[in-house]
Structure formats: structure tokens, C-alpha cells
């Protein structure tokens, strides 16, 4: 075990109330591409702004085309060693809250109860109506779209249906923000796993935790702007580092 992993293990052992904050980097070892690594999603596509999705049927069609492609990776993805190590920390009672920017549902699939996962950017495993919030399953939407490019509308109110994720320009989910702030302010250790920390307001939480007196750890392949305020920075693969630090295979 290298010195960084040893330091991480010690910080975990000293912590009573840990909050874990994850980004796309924890899911790359499950086969889901991240956004800002050299071959990440935003190296090939431009994000679709929320207002454009609302205003233009063509942008909605483009969004569903992308969703069907990305969903192929997501459908077959399984939790990896990093997810299992996070689940172990929740199961042990050391970690009360996992704040995730990810929409893949892999933290829940690893066995973490829903009430311990806060999905800051929503969830991509289902869709919902933007007017009345009614949940819509993806399967029939994909079938209709693949058949004749049918765009989904709400079966209850006729409103626009969108995957239950938060797009650029869309309001953040209030309850998720409230729960994230509460767990950020109540933890003694805040661990960032696999995020470039460039998208706000999510990326403010590590700073808030540090300013509030928590120890801050960042485990990320590449450097982030917040490395300079962290107590420990580990530029290595999450699965190996966190697996070794927690003794999880
Ligand atoms: N181990 C460690 N770090 C990794 C690994 C890995 N196996 N794989 C990738 N990384 C790192 C990359 O180096 C990168 O810095 O994870 C980081 C992922 O950063 P982003 O791709 O920017 O993802 P994220 O920070 O989650 O993006 C935030 O941006 O596009 C929006 O809504 C989207 O939730 C997303 C938000």
C-alpha cells in the first residue's frame, strides 16, 4: 500500500461522520465514459441547454438520439470496486451520505439504500414530465422513437417528457441541494471521488466542507482546482486506491 493510500486509510479510520461526493470518474471503471477526460463525452458532443430542449423539437430529438446511444453503456454497467468500497463505508455506518453528480444509479445498484444517496443531477434510468412530474419508463419511449422518431409527451397532461436528469440551464433539485448542504456541513471528512470539480453549484460542496472544518480528500486521476485546499490529494485510479484503503476487493 503506498503512502497516499495509507494516509487515506488513516483519515477514514479517524472519521465518525463522512460524506462522499462522486462524479463520472467513479463509473469509468464500469465502462461508462466520463465527460472531460481526453475521450470524454464533451470531447465529441456539445451539451444541450435546457431552454433549447424546451424550444426545439429537433433538439429534443437530438437529446433522445444521444440518450439511446449512451444508455447502451449504462444498461450493461455494473458497480465496480470503487462503488463497492463506497457501499462498504455506508454499510459500516462511517458514511451517512453519498452526494453524486452521476445519473447511472450505480451507487444504488451497489446496495446503498436510496435514502443515503443524493442525486444532485437527477437520474437517467427513467423519464418524467416537465409539467406534472409523472414518471415515464424509458423502454416504450425508446421503442417509439426508434420506430418513427416519435417524441414522448406526458400521457397524463400532454407535457414535454425528458429523462429525469438536470441539464445545463435547468434548476437544481431543491431537496437534493438541501440534503447535500446538510451532509456537507455535518461531516468531519469529505471525500471527492472522480470529479473535475468544474460544474457549480455541485463543485462548491467540497469548498464548503473544508471551510466548515472538515478534512477534504480528493481522489481523481487528473488535478483539480481544489487540490490546493485539500488535506490529501491522490491522482490514481479510484477502484484501486479506495479498495486498498478500505480492504474491499
Ligand atoms: N479514477 C480516478 N479518476 C478518474 C477515473 C478513475 N478511474 N476516471 C476518470 N477520472 C477522473 C477524470 O480525470 C476527471 O477529472 O474523473 C474526472 C471526471 O470529471 P468529469 O468528466 O468532468 O465528470 P464530473 O466532474 O462528474 O462532471 C460534472 O458535468 O457535464 C456535467 O452533468 C454532468 O454531472 C456531470 C457534471
Amino acid at each position: 500500500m503506498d503512502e497516499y493510500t495509507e494516509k487515506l486509510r488513516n483519515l477514514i479510520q479517524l472519521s465518525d461522520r463522512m460524506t462522499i461526493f462522486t462524479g463520472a470518474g467513479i463509473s469509468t471503471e464500469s465502462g461508462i465514459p466520463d465527460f472531460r477526460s481526453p475521450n470524454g463525452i464533451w470531447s465529441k458532443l456539445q451539451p444541450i441547454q435546457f431552454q433549447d430542449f424546451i424550444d426545439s423539437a429537433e433538439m429534443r430529438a437530438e437529446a433522445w438520439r444521444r440518450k439511446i446511444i449512451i444508455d447502451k453503456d449504462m444498461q450493461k454497467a455494473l458497480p465496480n470496486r470503487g462503488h463497492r468500497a463506497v457501499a462498504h463505508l455506508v454499510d459500516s455506518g462511517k458514511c451517512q451520505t453519498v452526494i453524486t453528480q452521476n445519473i447511472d444509479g450505480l451507487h444504488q445498484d451497489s446496495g446503498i439504500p436510496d435514502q443515503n444517496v443524493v442525486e444532485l443531477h437527477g437520474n437517467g434510468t427513467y423519464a418524467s414530465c416537465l409539467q406534472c412530474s409523472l414518471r415515464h419508463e424509458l423502454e416504450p419511449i425508446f421503442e417509439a422513437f426508434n420506430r418513427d422518431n416519435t417524441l414522448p409527451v406526458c400521457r397524463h397532461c400532454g407535457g414535454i417528457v425528458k429523462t429525469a436528469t438536470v441539464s445545463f440551464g435547468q434548476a437544481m433539485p431543491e431537496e437534493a441541494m438541501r440534503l447535500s448542504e446538510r451532509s456537507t456541513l455535518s461531516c468531519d471528512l469529505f471525500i471527492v471521488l472522480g470529479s473535475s470539480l468544474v460544474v457549480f453549484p455541485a463543485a462548491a460542496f467540497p469548498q464548503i466542507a473544508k471551510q466548515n472544518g472538515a478534512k477534504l480528500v480528493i481522489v481523481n486521476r487528473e488535478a483539480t482546482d481544489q487540490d490546493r485546499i485539500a488535506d490529501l490529494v491522490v491522482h490514481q485510479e479510484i477502484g484501486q486506491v479506495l479498495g486498498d484503503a478500505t480492504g474491499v476487493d
Side-chain angles (χ1 to χ4, degrees), residues 5 68 135 211:
T5 308
I68 289 168
R135 176 175 169 138
Q211 285 155 11

Side-chain angles (χ1 to χ4, degrees), residues 94-151:
K94 276 219 174 258
C95 173
Q96 287 72 35
T97 304
V98 178
I99 302 171
T100 188
Q101 301 172 94
N102 300 339
I103 61 166
D104 53 35
L106 287 177
H107 285 305
Q108 295 91 325
D109 292 349
S110 70
I112 299 175
D114 286 355
Q115 66 262 27
N116 296 102
V117 181
V118 179
E119 294 179 312
L120 263 183
H121 294 161
N123 184 303
T125 63
Y126 63 92
S128 53
C129 172
L130 293 176
Q131 270 69 26
C132 71
S133 302
L134 182 68
R135 176 175 169 138
H136 290 66
E137 299 311 319
L138 293 176
E139 194 64 37
I141 293 173
F142 287 1
E143 276 167 19
F145 188 82
N146 286 329
R147 187 176 57 245
D148 53 19
N149 290 333
T150 300
L151 291 174

Side-chain angles (χ1 to χ4, degrees), residues 4 6 13-14 35-38 47 51 54 100 105 115 117 134 152 172 181 188 193 198 220 222-223 229 235:
Y4 296 102
E6 185 71 36
Q13 282 173 343
L14 289 173
F35 296 95
R36 296 175 184 83
S37 282
Q51 199 53 50
I54 299 289
T100 188
Q115 66 262 27
V117 181
L134 182 68
M172 291 293 284
E181 186 171 5
D188 58 19
L193 299 172
V198 297
N220 201 62
E222 287 154 25
I229 64 168
H235 290 158

Side-chain angles (χ1 to χ4, degrees), residues 15-20 94 96-97 99 180-191 205-206 208-210 212-216:
S15 168
D16 295 319
R17 286 190 64 76
M18 183 190 312
T19 292
I20 292 176
K94 276 219 174 258
Q96 287 72 35
T97 304
I99 302 171
S180 298
E181 186 171 5
R182 189 178 69 179
S183 67
T184 294
L185 293 174
S186 64
C187 70
D188 58 19
L189 177 62
F190 193 98
I191 301 179
F205 289 116
I208 294 166
K210 179 65 185 167
N212 192 52
K215 293 276 190 208
L216 174 61

